């Protein structure tokens, strides 16, 4: 092996051990990336009952449903308590066998390079990386350098695109009442028949772009089953230039259906990725249409029962933009449909005759994971029922996601239906008229050597005079509360609408805190009232901290930083008759210098982002500015409302 063997890491860091326990993680790569590239890691959560060895059959069933086609297992990461290279060899061997199971035995996997990684929990040393060149290798070569990609999202979504395909399935299962086991056999055969039909020479696949910047977008491409190549390995497919053209399907790259230019400010993400729609058109009339249809009658020999099994396949795949569309369909879309079809079969068969589960695939792109994933949920159960909660907990464990954030609920699904090319915020695109995340891109705080701790997640900016409602002079705390509730909505902790001033007042009357005359009044509210409303409407608990003087607040900067790091929720600051929303702090622990990121609800203009930022309505405020003026007045009593993030998945 060459001396300068290098591994490229796209994920910001390999997953930390869960609760500092030994374990195994699978390294995920893509055949469309340079060799020895790691895009993510997923935990191995299934082990054999008699040992700590991975249960590869269960792991393959889970990962076949979870990972998009276009991503694969490229190695293994061992977390141990003794420095043992033999464990790494065993893990690499397991990764090879797992990859073979995921590929259904196809492709030349014996000679694929695989990555092995190891960290010793006792010594706390850095992660050690190795490369095994082939299954027959008797030794592993150490990796000399690790390259961390500066802009991994840009790399992933400039290199590739998404392909999506939906196929509704409806199986008639006709079986003898006295021999119900036949129903499983019939359903099995029906599944096999559909899988075979997807590769039938008569089947037609229509390829078109989902997102067009004008009516002059690329015309749909028709691919027939007889034209598809199911035998060439993905690694042997000849990539085309992004500008390649021609009528031959082998010469049309996926880039043909991708947008040629995008706004400079557009964020690189799965939601903004180029997406290609693939539709399946089944030709059930192979003979001339001039022939009259023939109905065949086969009488049942004994009492029989008919049931229908219905569900929808919804597959998402990742492909290099340079790959010919023909191969993207034959090597990604069709295998993805077949794998999901069998995953559905495995979930339906155990209860085929007793309860027909309502299954549906959903696609997510949780924070910290560079690529989308697919999850099949059973809709017979509500999201708060224990079975669904346990499924999500298992997914959070596998993906290294926190257990106090609802990141894989149906409200979090990846939205590929439209694209934000007009420069409007996501909240406008999803139906809201309020500006979102207005602090992004504002000037720096001016704290030298400080460490910033910011709100985690998105929020909407609520301020005076919105919705044509005049609350100038008394509604600032109401607006701060609305911003806080919008944060809980956008993080999917709740689905309630952001309440109006009247609805906030109604809530306080209902819990007995205010008299009925309070409804419709212009009375101020403070931190205590906000905590009551958050508890009633969202079930959210809050901490309320009181300060005798504004001079005490900068002394608590470290405590506020810990809130943003651990809870991540916006904070309401109340002082006298004024209220603000705190979105973060910038704090130099050595010098004590600090600044506060203030979102000011007293703004009365229209929602012009430039005007808001330039006017200082969202920006950093030093405790004492350059002119010696105190932002927090020393002769005022202040209180801070710190909403706590609910512990839920």
């Amino acid at each position: 092996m060459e001396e300068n063997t290098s591994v490229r890491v796209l994920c910001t860091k390999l997953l930390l051990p869960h609760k500092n326990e030994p374990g195994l993680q699978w390294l995920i790569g893509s055949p469309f990336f340079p060799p020895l590239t790691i895009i993510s890691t997923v935990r191995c959560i299934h082990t054999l009952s008699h040992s700590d060895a991975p249960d590869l059959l269960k792991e393959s069933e889970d990962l076949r449903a979870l990972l998009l086609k276009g991503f694969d297992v490229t190695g293994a990461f061992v977390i141990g308590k003794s420095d043992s290279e033999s464990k790494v060899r065993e893990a690499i061997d397991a990764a090879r066998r797992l990859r073979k199971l995921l590929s259904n035995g196809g492709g030349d996997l014996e000679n694929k390079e695989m990555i092995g990684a190891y960290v010793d929990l006792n010594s706390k040393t850095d992660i050690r990386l190795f490369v095994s060149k082939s299954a027959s290798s008797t030794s592993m070569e150490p990796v000399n350098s690790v390259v961390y990609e500066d802009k991994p999202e840009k790399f992933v979504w400039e290199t590739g695109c998404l392909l999506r395909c939906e196929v509704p399935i409806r199986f008639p299962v006709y079986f003898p009442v006295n021999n119900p086991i036949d129903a499983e056999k019939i359903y099995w055969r029906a599944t096999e028949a559909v899988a075979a039909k997807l590769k039938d020479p008569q089947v037609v696949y229509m390829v078109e772009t989902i997102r067009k910047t004008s009516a002059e977008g690329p015309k749909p491409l028709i691919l027939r089953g007889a034209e598809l190549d199911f035998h060439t390995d993905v690694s042997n497919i000849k990539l085309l230039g992004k500008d390649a053209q021609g009528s031959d399907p082998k010469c049309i790259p996926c880039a043909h259906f991708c947008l040629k230019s995008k706004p400079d400010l557009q964020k690189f993400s799965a939601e903004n990725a180029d997406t290609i729609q693939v539709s399946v058109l089944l030709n059930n009339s192979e003979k001339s249409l001039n022939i009259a249809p023939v109905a065949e009658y086969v009488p049942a020999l004994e009492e029989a029962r008919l049931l229908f099994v219905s569900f929808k396949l919804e597959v998402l795949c990742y492909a290099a933009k340079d790959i010919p569309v023909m191969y993207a369909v034959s090597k990604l879309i069709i295998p993805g449909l077949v794998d999901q079809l069998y995953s559905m079969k495995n979930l339906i068969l155990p209860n085929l005759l007793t309860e027909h589960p309502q299954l549906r695939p959903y696609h997510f792109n949780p924070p910290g994971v560079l690529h989308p994933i697919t999850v099949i949920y059973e809709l017979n159960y509500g999201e708060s029922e224990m079975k669904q909660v346990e499924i999500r907990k298992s997914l959070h464990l596998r993906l290294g996601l926190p257990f106090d954030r609802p990141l894989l609920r149906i409200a979090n699904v990846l939205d590929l239906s439209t694209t934000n090319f007009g420069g409007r915020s996501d909240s406008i695109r999803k139906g809201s008229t309020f500006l979102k995340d207005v602090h992004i891109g504002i000037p720096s705080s001016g704290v030298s050597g400080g460490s910033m701790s910011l709100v985690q997640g998105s929020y909407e900016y609520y301020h005076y005079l919105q919705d044509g409602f005049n609350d100038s002079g008394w509604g600032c705390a109401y607006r701060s509360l609305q911003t806080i509730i919008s944060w809980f909505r956008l993080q999917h902790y709740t689905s309630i609408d952001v309440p109006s001033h009247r609805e906030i007042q109604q809530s306080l009357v209902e819990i007995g805190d205010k008299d009925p005359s309070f409804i419709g009044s212009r009375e101020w509210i403070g931190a205590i009232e906000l905590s009551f409303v958050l508890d009633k409407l969202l079930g959210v608990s809050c901490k309320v901290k009181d300060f005798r003087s504004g001079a005490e607040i900068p002394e608590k900067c470290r405590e506020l930083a810990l809130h943003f790091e651990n809870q991540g929720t916006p904070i309401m600051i109340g002082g006298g008759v004024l209220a603000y929303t705190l979105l973060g702090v910038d704090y130099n622990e050595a010098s004590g210098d600090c600044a506060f990121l203030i979102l000011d609800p007293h703004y009365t203009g229209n929602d012009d982002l430039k005007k808001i930022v330039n006017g200082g309505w969202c920006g950093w405020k030093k405790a004492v500015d350059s002119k010696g003026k105190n932002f927090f007045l020393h002769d005022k009593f202040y209180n801070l409302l710190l909403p706590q993030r609910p512990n839920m998945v």
Side-chain angles (χ1 to χ4, degrees):
M1 175 169 290
E2 296 180 3
E3 292 184 1
N4 59 344
T5 301
S6 177
V7 167
R8 175 180 291 191
V9 179
L10 301 181
C11 45
T12 54
K13 59 183 178 181
L14 299 178
L15 289 181
L16 296 176
H18 180 59
K19 296 181 179 179
N20 214 31
E21 297 173 352
L24 176 66
Q25 299 173 17
W26 307 116
L27 305 178
I28 307 302
S30 172
F32 306 119
F33 296 158
L36 306 181
T37 297
I38 302 170
I39 186 174
S40 68
T41 68
V42 295
R43 285 191 176 96
C44 171
I45 62 174
H46 298 298
T47 57
L48 298 174
S49 57
H50 58 277
S51 72
D52 61 354
D55 187 330
L56 297 180
L57 188 58
K58 288 185 177 179
E59 285 291 299
S60 66
E61 290 176 354
D62 281 6
L63 296 185
R64 185 175 287 112
L66 187 75
L67 290 179
L68 273 58
K69 290 295 181 184
F71 298 109
D72 52 25
V73 174
T74 192
F77 176 26
V78 179
I79 300 104
K81 290 193 174 181
S82 62
D83 194 354
S84 174
E85 290 188 14
S86 63
K87 289 285 187 182
V88 181
R89 291 192 188 93
E90 292 173 5
I92 289 177
D93 179 61
R96 272 206 172 88
R97 286 182 282 133
L98 175 60
R99 182 164 170 162
K100 188 172 183 178
L101 287 170
L102 290 171
S103 66
N104 299 312
D108 179 18
L109 302 180
E110 296 297 313
N111 295 316
K112 297 286 185 184
E113 289 183 321
M114 300 290 278
I115 305 169
Y118 184 85
V119 66
D120 183 1
L121 292 176
N122 290 329
S123 64
K124 306 292 185 181
T125 56
D126 292 337
I127 296 171
R128 299 170 61 197
L129 290 163
F130 304 87
V131 171
S132 171
K133 298 200 78 171
S134 68
S136 60
S137 297
T138 58
S139 63
M140 300 182 302
E141 300 293 338
V143 172
N144 297 318
S145 67
V146 179
V147 178
Y148 286 89
E149 188 72 32
D150 289 336
K151 298 179 179 179
E153 294 88 357
K154 186 172 186 286
F155 175 86
V156 171
W157 299 114
E158 279 192 342
T159 300
C161 60
L162 294 173
L163 293 95
R164 186 174 72 170
C165 183
E166 300 176 12
V167 180
I169 300 291
R170 183 173 170 85
F171 285 150
V173 180
Y174 189 71
F175 63 95
V177 171
N178 297 327
N179 194 12
I181 194 66
D182 279 3
E184 295 185 8
K185 296 178 182 178
I186 293 169
Y187 179 45
W188 184 285
R189 288 197 294 268
T191 300
E192 296 289 334
V194 171
K197 190 71 174 177
L198 293 170
K199 297 183 180 181
D200 191 286
Q202 300 294 328
V203 74
V204 171
Y205 291 89
M206 183 171 69
V207 183
E208 56 190 332
T209 184
I210 289 181
R211 301 162 173 175
K212 296 181 180 180
T213 53
S214 69
E216 301 300 322
K219 295 180 180 179
L221 173 68
I222 299 298
L223 295 172
R224 291 174 172 79
E227 301 172 327
L228 299 178
D229 178 357
F230 297 101
H231 305 293
T232 302
D233 187 70
V234 173
S235 60
N236 295 326
I237 295 173
K238 181 181 178 182
L239 299 182
L240 305 170
K242 289 185 173 63
D243 297 323
Q245 298 291 334
S247 58
D248 186 346
K250 293 183 179 180
C251 299
I252 300 177
C254 290
H256 177 73
F257 295 95
C258 299
L259 295 175
K260 300 298 185 286
S261 62
K262 300 178 184 178
D264 293 336
L265 297 179
Q266 183 175 320
K267 180 182 177 182
F268 286 98
S269 66
E271 197 163 60
N272 290 326
D274 289 301
T275 306
I276 300 171
Q277 180 72 35
V278 179
S279 303
V280 184
L281 308 174
L282 298 176
N283 181 4
N284 293 318
S285 303
E286 298 177 18
K287 298 180 181 180
S288 171
L289 296 179
N290 294 326
I291 300 176
V294 177
E296 186 177 2
Y297 171 66
V298 181
L301 300 178
E302 54 185 302
E303 185 180 357
R305 179 185 169 194
L306 174 66
L307 65 86
F308 289 94
V309 179
S310 301
F311 55 85
K312 184 171 73 170
L313 302 178
E314 187 173 335
V315 167
L316 201 62
C317 303
Y318 176 84
K321 294 180 181 180
D322 293 347
I323 192 176
V325 174
M326 181 187 77
Y327 287 109
V329 172
S330 64
K331 303 302 294 185
L332 300 173
I333 286 291
I334 295 176
L337 289 170
V338 171
D339 279 355
Q340 196 172 99
L341 182 67
Y342 287 128
S343 293
M344 293 288 197
K345 178 203 69 178
N346 293 337
L347 292 169
I348 291 172
L349 266 183
N351 301 300
L352 179 62
L353 302 181
T354 55
E355 53 175 315
H356 182 193
Q358 299 178 40
L359 301 173
R360 179 166 178 187
Y362 292 97
H363 309 297
F364 299 91
N365 194 191
V369 182
L370 285 173
H371 56 83
I373 59 167
T374 300
V375 179
I376 299 174
Y377 281 149
E378 188 172 339
L379 302 184
N380 302 60
Y381 300 93
E383 288 198 292
S384 60
E385 292 189 49
M386 189 53 62
K387 182 171 182 178
Q388 289 289 66
V389 171
E390 291 303 317
I391 289 173
R392 291 197 301 273
K393 283 184 178 179
S394 176
L395 289 165
H396 277 241
L397 176 63
R398 185 180 284 284
L399 296 167
L401 302 175
F403 288 91
D404 62 348
R405 307 184 188 190
L407 302 174
L408 298 176
R409 292 189 170 223
I410 293 173
N412 300 79
V413 294
L414 186 62
D415 181 9
L416 299 172
S417 58
T418 58
T419 294
N420 176 23
F421 291 122
R424 297 182 299 170
S425 72
D426 285 349
S427 83
I428 293 176
R429 175 167 56 80
K430 294 179 180 177
S432 171
T433 59
F434 300 102
L435 290 176
K436 192 172 81 169
D437 304 338
V438 295
H439 71 285
I440 295 177
I442 65 171
S444 63
S445 69
V447 174
S448 178
S451 177
M452 282 195 295
S453 303
L454 302 176
V455 62
Q456 299 177 28
S458 294
Y459 61 88
E460 292 169 331
Y461 180 27
Y462 285 79
H463 57 80
Y464 279 168
L465 304 188
Q466 279 179 326
D467 298 325
F469 184 75
N470 186 359
D471 56 346
S472 181
W474 62 273
C476 51
Y478 292 84
R479 296 299 188 179
S480 183
L481 175 59
Q482 289 175 327
T483 292
I484 291 171
I485 291 177
S486 77
W487 183 93
F488 283 98
R489 270 181 56 85
L490 291 171
Q491 270 54 247
H492 306 294
Y493 285 104
T494 181
S495 58
I496 70 163
D497 292 332
V498 174
S500 65
H501 294 55
R502 188 178 186 87
E503 288 167 337
I504 291 169
Q505 293 171 340
Q506 179 74 40
S507 297
L508 291 169
V509 170
E510 289 175 0
I511 65 172
D513 181 66
K514 303 290 184 185
D515 294 329
S517 60
F518 178 65
I519 299 175
S521 71
R522 295 191 170 193
E523 291 186 32
W524 295 314
I525 57 175
I528 297 299
E529 287 90 347
L530 265 66
S531 70
F532 290 160
V533 175
L534 287 170
D535 180 49
K536 174 176 171 53
L537 297 183
L538 277 68
V540 167
S541 62
C542 300
K543 292 181 180 179
V544 177
K545 295 187 177 294
D546 297 324
F547 299 91
R548 290 171 295 179
S549 165
E552 297 178 4
I553 296 178
E555 299 172 5
K556 300 295 183 181
C557 204
R558 179 60 186 146
E559 188 176 334
L560 295 175
L562 287 174
H563 169 86
F564 286 112
E565 291 166 11
N566 297 326
Q567 300 296 327
T569 62
I571 294 173
M572 191 282 284
I573 297 179
V577 297
L578 299 178
Y580 302 95
T581 307
L582 179 63
L583 301 177
V585 295
D586 194 354
Y587 178 51
N588 185 318
E589 195 163 3
S591 66
D593 192 16
C594 62
F596 302 84
L597 181 53
I598 299 295
L599 184 67
D600 194 338
H602 302 92
Y603 174 66
T604 57
N606 58 2
D607 284 349
D608 182 327
L609 181 59
K610 187 175 181 180
K611 183 178 178 182
I612 290 166
V613 173
N614 292 342
W617 299 101
C618 178
W620 291 100
K621 308 293 183 182
K622 299 288 286 289
V624 181
D625 65 19
S626 59
K627 298 179 181 179
K629 183 179 178 181
N630 297 308
F631 179 75
F632 299 111
L633 302 178
H634 290 196
D635 60 346
K636 294 290 185 182
F637 178 89
Y638 284 85
N639 49 37
L640 270 64
L641 178 87
L642 288 76
Q644 304 299 291
R645 186 191 291 265
N647 187 16
M648 62 188 292
V649 295

